[in-house]
Amino acid sequence: MPVATLTSKGQVTIPVSVRNALGIDTGDRIDFVQTEDGAFTIVAATLPVTTLKGLLGKASQTVSIDEMNETIARKGASAG
């Protein structure tokens, strides 16, 4: 299993085997996506967003756009 060390500046050198597997190179961006169990998955930001499908598992409930908008408005109003 590839291992990396965090520097005092918060930097990590991603091992070559991981960079190759992700298809990333110097200057590419990566996303750290937190999964349901609290772990993180590293995803190359150069990949299409469709590669994220299913990463977080199935939703516990579905809501309509209207319900989302109502909740956003209510929470925004209560935030002050």
Side-chain angles (χ1 to χ4, degrees), residues 14-38:
I14 301 170
V16 172
S17 61
V18 176
R19 293 194 311 261
N20 290 341
L22 289 171
I24 58 175
D25 201 358
T26 304
D28 286 347
R29 297 181 58 86
I30 56 173
D31 292 329
F32 298 89
V33 180
Q34 190 168 18
T35 59
E36 228 175 64
D37 63 359

Side-chain angles (χ1 to χ4, degrees), residues 2-68:
V3 176
T5 302
L6 184 68
T7 69
S8 61
K9 292 183 179 183
Q11 298 172 333
V12 174
T13 299
I14 301 170
V16 172
S17 61
V18 176
R19 293 194 311 261
N20 290 341
L22 289 171
I24 58 175
D25 201 358
T26 304
D28 286 347
R29 297 181 58 86
I30 56 173
D31 292 329
F32 298 89
V33 180
Q34 190 168 18
T35 59
E36 228 175 64
D37 63 359
F40 282 86
T41 300
I42 300 173
V43 178
T46 55
L47 297 174
V49 71
T50 54
T51 59
L52 297 175
K53 183 178 180 181
L55 184 65
L56 300 178
K58 188 169 174 79
S60 60
Q61 70 179 43
T62 58
V63 295
S64 69
I65 297 294
D66 288 337
E67 290 172 309
M68 282 188 249

